[in-house]
Amino acid sequence: MVDILLTLAAAALILESDVRRATVAYVVLTLTTLRIALPHVEGTADTALFATIAFLKVAVGPAMVLTLVARYHARSEMGSSFGPAVRLLVAFGAIAAGHAAARMDAFSTIPHAAAVFEALLASAAVVILNRSLLAHALGLLALGSAIGLASTVFAAGLPLGVELGDTFDGVLATFVALAIVRAAIVHDPSLDVRSMRSLRG
Amino acid sequence: MTPLTWAIALPTLGAALAALVPQRTPRRALRIIFAIAAAASAGVALPRLDALSAVFVAVISVVAVLVVAYSTSIVPHSDAPEIRWTSKPAYFLLFGIFWSSMLAAVTSPTLIGMWLGISATTLATAFLVGFSGGKSALEAAWKYVMLCSFGIAVALLGIVLLARAAIAAGVPSNSALAWNELAAHLGAMQPELVRVALLSMLLGFAVKAGLVPMHTWLPDAHSKAPAPISAALSGLLVTCALYAIARVQALAHAAHVALFDPLLGGIGIASLLLGTMLMLAQRDPKRLLSYSTIEHSGLVAIALAIGTPLALFAAVFHAVAHAFAKSSAFLAVGISYERGRSSRLELAPFIALGGLPPFATFASEMLILGAAAQARAWVALIAIVIGSIVGFIALARFAVGRRAEASSASAARTPKLALTATLVATAAAVLCAAFPYLGVFRP
């Protein structure tokens, strides 16, 4: 059930064309990853760390994205580079690739391994398929949740401090990204990544 | 608190405390005093570190002090003062966090500690890259934060997979990411998982090292940042990423991951050749130096991939020599920008980056060539020769052009502290030729 919910959230994240609805998909994806991690939480210290991680991922991160849309009037479109058909194809591809990766010898005995790869691929797809900087920030947040899920699923028993560090890093990276977005609104209110191609690497 | 803890905390603490002082002159003096104190604390901590960490701590401390001194003299300006993070106190505080993060990365006894340190450098320096607040600076900062965050996430995925292999091999979960525990238990870990984990880490840290094909953020970020930050990014941050790759490579060698060195060597050769080719097309000095960073990063990667004791020594030596040479080059170019025309100060660092004597880069490049010949790594040898010649031509052509337009005005017009910092960095690029004779580092 949890795996199906995560698959649906990952697919919605890829398919969604509105930042607010994509943020909801991200929250569902993150809540699902936290639900998978919950049974591994033991003791008061771990519970406190887990609550902090959940607050940062589910409340602070999305709030930062939504604030930018509401307060600074950033466009709430994801700016998809491709039509619905291509995005649907990518969503199916991510799910199929996730299941294929989970069948590799190294991961075949690990529960929820396919969910990890689906979440990783969905977060990468959000960045690749969309042109809005806000979509990229959402992809960054989703990547943090996917890595957090990977540490729970692949290395159960690792101190939660590791995941807390990762979460802080992910949320801080999103904060940095959104601070840059806020400054960039002055130059391009559409926040389209095409307006950021003057340097060309 | 141990001297190492002080060394890590002082750059950030010092910048924060100095920002509280209202008067300009004492504030500037405090910034320099705290920077020197941080470097001195790092110096006291050196004997407690292993050789590789000690070398990198020393280089970071020296270059960071020079950057702080230079920045107090020529303060970078912002085109968008309405953006809060483009204030001067924010600049020094962010640089302090950057410095602390680098020290934490190269001294951590655990893989995750190193990762957190390197990851934190991205967050601090993203604001510094976009410090001017201009459109192109924000574009560079955006590319930097997105590409490096994804790269570093791939490295973290590798770390998680290695932790799984370690826990499955019987390592207690609390110490599953300690260097010594990992090295001791590699033989008992699941080989396929270890291979995937180490290759993920290589690719992840290669993004931070600016290695091809993950290099596209580097020329933009390094050329759009204020000159002293470019010096720290090219001289130190790339060096820290190469440190991480060297540490991961040690695990790969212990685990007999056959694919690691060929992959590292391949991206090293691609970086060296593409970096030098693109240098030929540059008209802006900071972009030229940025592509030169890709070239030298590739050179270090090739030396690491050759993998013999001589090559590993040469890799560390070249990373040190390049850190000083590239820092001095960016600081000199920054002085030119400040004066509004090119300065003769640029000449010596450009010669150093071209790999000519008396600079240490000459000795380190010769050592890498010798190591390639000794290991019969002919493809690497040919690539190094071609890359070095093309890189030298690009630098020489550019330097001759700049010299023709160089001002004859004396260097006295340049703020003294910035001039001193640049000259010290240039002198260090010569003096570190003595590195092999110090005996502090043996692979």
Side-chain angles (χ1 to χ4, degrees), chain B residues 179-203:
Chain B
W179 291 116
N180 52 356
E181 291 285 350
L182 284 169
H185 292 85
L186 272 171
M189 294 183 201
Q190 193 181 350
E192 192 186 347
L193 204 52
V194 171
R195 188 166 60 238
V196 174
L198 294 175
L199 292 177
S200 299
M201 280 186 252
L202 169 61
L203 293 177

Side-chain angles (χ1 to χ4, degrees), chain A residues 154 157 169 195-196 198-199 201, chain B residues 119 135 139 164 173 220 291:
Chain A
F154 292 149
D169 184 67
S195 69
M196 286 194 153
S198 65
L199 296 172
Chain B
S119 184
K135 188 171 182 289
E139 178 183 336
R164 174 178 176 78
S173 58
D220 297 346
Y291 282 108

Side-chain angles (χ1 to χ4, degrees), chain A residues 120 124 143 147 166, chain B residues 115 147-161 196-207 214:
Chain A
L120 284 170
L143 182 70
I147 298 277
D166 168 43
Chain B
W115 180 86
L147 284 170
C148 287
S149 293
F150 264 82
I152 216 74
V154 172
L156 180 61
L157 184 65
I159 291 171
V160 166
L161 294 177
V196 174
L198 294 175
L199 292 177
S200 299
M201 280 186 252
L202 169 61
L203 293 177
F205 290 127
V207 178
M214 293 80 76

Side-chain angles (χ1 to χ4, degrees), chain B residues 54-130:
Chain B
V55 167
F56 282 91
V57 165
V59 173
I60 290 167
S61 302
V62 173
V63 174
V65 169
L66 295 176
V67 167
V68 170
Y70 184 101
S71 300
T72 54
S73 179
I74 299 179
V75 183
H77 64 276
S78 165
D79 300 332
E82 72 279 6
I83 303 173
R84 279 183 204 163
W85 41 270
T86 62
S87 67
K88 285 170 194 170
Y91 172 89
F92 285 101
L93 184 62
L94 288 166
F95 183 74
I97 296 170
F98 175 38
W99 182 356
S100 295
S101 309
M102 285 189 293
L103 286 179
V106 300
T107 56
S108 174
T110 68
L111 193 47
I112 194 70
M114 182 184 78
W115 180 86
L116 281 171
I118 288 185
S119 184
T121 60
T122 309
L123 306 180
T125 48
F127 286 129
L128 290 170
V129 168

Side-chain angles (χ1 to χ4, degrees), chain A residues 104-107 109-110 116-117 120 123-124 127 132-134 136-137 139-140 143 147 150-159 161-162 165-166 168-169 172-184 186-188 193 195-201, chain B residues 82-85 112 115-116 119-120 122-124 126-127 133-143 145-146 149-150 152-154 156-157 159-161 163-165 167 173-177 190 192-193 196 215-217 219-221 223-224 278 287 291:
Chain A
M104 286 167 64
D105 285 349
F107 310 111
T109 57
I110 306 171
V116 172
F117 291 113
L120 284 170
S123 56
V127 175
S132 163
L133 302 187
L134 288 178
H136 293 186
L140 205 58
L143 182 70
I147 298 277
S151 68
T152 306
V153 167
F154 292 149
L158 267 188
V162 171
D166 168 43
F168 264 121
D169 184 67
L172 274 175
T174 310
F175 169 74
V176 172
L178 291 176
I180 295 169
V181 167
R182 197 184 142 192
V186 178
H187 303 291
D188 176 26
V193 79
S195 69
M196 286 194 153
R197 287 181 185 163
S198 65
L199 296 172
R200 297 187 177 278
Chain B
E82 72 279 6
I83 303 173
R84 279 183 204 163
W85 41 270
I112 194 70
W115 180 86
L116 281 171
S119 184
T122 309
L123 306 180
F127 286 129
K135 188 171 182 289
S136 57
L138 292 173
E139 178 183 336
W142 179 261
K143 272 187 197 173
V145 77
M146 290 307 292
S149 293
F150 264 82
I152 216 74
V154 172
L156 180 61
L157 184 65
I159 291 171
V160 166
L161 294 177
R164 174 178 176 78
I167 292 169
S173 58
N174 281 337
S175 55
L177 293 171
Q190 193 181 350
E192 192 186 347
L193 204 52
V196 174
H215 67 286
T216 51
W217 64 270
D220 297 346
S223 62
K224 288 299 162 191
L278 290 172
R287 281 190 82 82
Y291 282 108

Side-chain angles (χ1 to χ4, degrees), chain B residues 3 24 103 133 149 209 292 321 347 355 379 397 417 442:
Chain B
R24 187 166 170 256
L103 286 179
S149 293
S292 159
L347 192 60
V379 176
R397 202 178 64 158
L417 210 48
R442 288 187 184 84

Side-chain angles (χ1 to χ4, degrees), chain B residues 6-412:
Chain B
W6 274 115
I8 293 172
L10 264 177
T12 305
L13 272 179
L17 289 174
L20 299 175
V21 177
Q23 293 88 1
R24 187 166 170 256
T25 309
R27 189 171 60 234
R28 290 173 62 179
L30 259 184
R31 280 179 180 138
I32 297 172
I33 289 168
F34 274 120
I36 292 171
S41 299
V44 172
L46 284 185
R48 298 179 189 185
L49 301 170
D50 73 4
L52 190 60
S53 294
V55 167
F56 282 91
V57 165
V59 173
I60 290 167
S61 302
V62 173
V63 174
V65 169
L66 295 176
V67 167
V68 170
Y70 184 101
S71 300
T72 54
S73 179
I74 299 179
V75 183
H77 64 276
S78 165
D79 300 332
E82 72 279 6
I83 303 173
R84 279 183 204 163
W85 41 270
T86 62
S87 67
K88 285 170 194 170
Y91 172 89
F92 285 101
L93 184 62
L94 288 166
F95 183 74
I97 296 170
F98 175 38
W99 182 356
S100 295
S101 309
M102 285 189 293
L103 286 179
V106 300
T107 56
S108 174
T110 68
L111 193 47
I112 194 70
M114 182 184 78
W115 180 86
L116 281 171
I118 288 185
S119 184
T121 60
T122 309
L123 306 180
T125 48
F127 286 129
L128 290 170
V129 168
F131 188 78
S132 79
K135 188 171 182 289
S136 57
L138 292 173
E139 178 183 336
W142 179 261
K143 272 187 197 173
Y144 173 60
V145 77
M146 290 307 292
L147 284 170
C148 287
S149 293
F150 264 82
I152 216 74
V154 172
L156 180 61
L157 184 65
I159 291 171
V160 166
L161 294 177
L162 193 64
R164 174 178 176 78
I167 292 169
V171 180
S173 58
N174 281 337
S175 55
L177 293 171
W179 291 116
N180 52 356
E181 291 285 350
L182 284 169
H185 292 85
L186 272 171
M189 294 183 201
Q190 193 181 350
E192 192 186 347
L193 204 52
V194 171
R195 188 166 60 238
V196 174
L198 294 175
L199 292 177
S200 299
M201 280 186 252
L202 169 61
L203 293 177
F205 290 127
V207 178
K208 284 290 273 191
L211 290 167
V212 171
M214 293 80 76
H215 67 286
T216 51
W217 64 270
L218 191 148
D220 297 346
H222 290 208
S223 62
K224 288 299 162 191
I229 298 305
S230 305
L233 289 173
S234 266
L236 300 181
L237 184 57
V238 167
T239 309
C240 281
L242 291 167
Y243 164 90
I245 291 174
R247 286 284 188 203
V248 174
Q249 188 197 29
L251 295 178
H253 282 182
H256 306 293
V257 178
L259 198 59
F260 194 95
D261 282 350
L263 185 61
L264 180 59
I267 57 179
I269 289 172
S271 305
L272 172 66
L273 295 178
L274 189 71
T276 50
M277 295 294 175
L278 290 172
M279 279 168 72
L280 287 170
Q282 302 311 313
R283 298 286 175 270
D284 174 70
K286 285 175 81 179
R287 281 190 82 82
L288 175 87
L289 293 175
S290 304
Y291 282 108
S292 159
T293 299
I294 296 173
E295 172 208 356
H296 286 278
S297 193
L299 204 51
V300 173
I302 292 171
L304 288 172
I306 292 168
T308 61
L310 178 64
L312 294 177
F313 177 83
V316 176
F317 183 20
H318 191 70
V320 172
H322 172 254
F324 289 119
K326 190 53 63 67
S327 305
S328 64
F330 270 116
L331 295 181
V333 168
I335 287 175
S336 299
Y337 279 18
E338 183 69 15
R339 288 164 55 163
R341 50 188 170 184
S342 59
S343 146
R344 287 177 183 166
L345 280 170
E346 294 172 5
L347 192 60
F350 273 56
I351 292 172
L353 292 171
L356 291 184
F359 293 95
T361 42
F362 170 73
S364 60
E365 286 189 23
M366 285 300 128
L367 266 185
I368 295 175
L369 271 176
Q374 187 192 50
R376 297 177 185 277
W378 304 122
V379 176
L381 185 78
I382 292 166
I384 294 168
V385 170
I386 293 172
S388 300
I389 291 170
V390 176
F392 177 77
I393 290 170
L395 284 163
R397 202 178 64 158
F398 199 88
V400 168
R402 296 276 287 176
R403 191 169 152 70
E405 63 183 54
S407 70
S408 55
S410 73

